[in-house]
Amino acid sequence: DVLNFVRHFAYKHKPIFSICHGPQLLVNADVLHGKDITAVAQVAVDVKNAGANYFDEEVVIDSSGLISSRTPDDLPAFNQA
């Protein structure tokens, strides 16, 4: 049910906010292909293998409505986005 919920948001371009290890759920929902994203370093290979464009930046905003950050240290930029 959770994966279908995430897929609905992704396919309808509704806002999705992800930080730290959160992209692992997006990987499992198979919704990252072609999207720009960041994540904690340990998840970088997973998001790349899922077809995403990984950036090691404090916040990444994809045109689909996906907003991501790496760690809680990035929260000020994440909250601003």
Side-chain angles (χ1 to χ4, degrees), residues 2-3 6-7 16-32 37-44 46-47 50 52 54 66-72 78:
V2 173
L3 294 177
V6 170
R7 288 180 190 119
I16 296 175
F17 302 91
S18 179
I19 191 167
C20 204
H21 289 80
Q24 289 178 315
L25 177 61
L26 304 174
V27 167
N28 287 321
D30 195 26
V31 297
L32 289 180
I37 192 169
T38 192
V40 68
Q42 295 87 338
V43 180
D46 295 333
V47 297
Y54 175 79
L66 173 61
I67 298 175
S68 57
S69 282
R70 300 170 297 194
T71 68
F78 184 72

Side-chain angles (χ1 to χ4, degrees), residues 3-4 14 51 58 61 71 76:
L3 294 177
N4 286 331
K14 294 182 178 185
E58 64 181 359
I61 302 171
T71 68

Side-chain angles (χ1 to χ4, degrees), residues 57-80:
E57 298 175 7
E58 64 181 359
V59 68
V60 173
I61 302 171
D62 185 76
S63 62
S64 69
L66 173 61
I67 298 175
S68 57
S69 282
R70 300 170 297 194
T71 68
D73 291 338
D74 298 330
L75 277 173
F78 184 72
N79 291 338
Q80 183 68 31

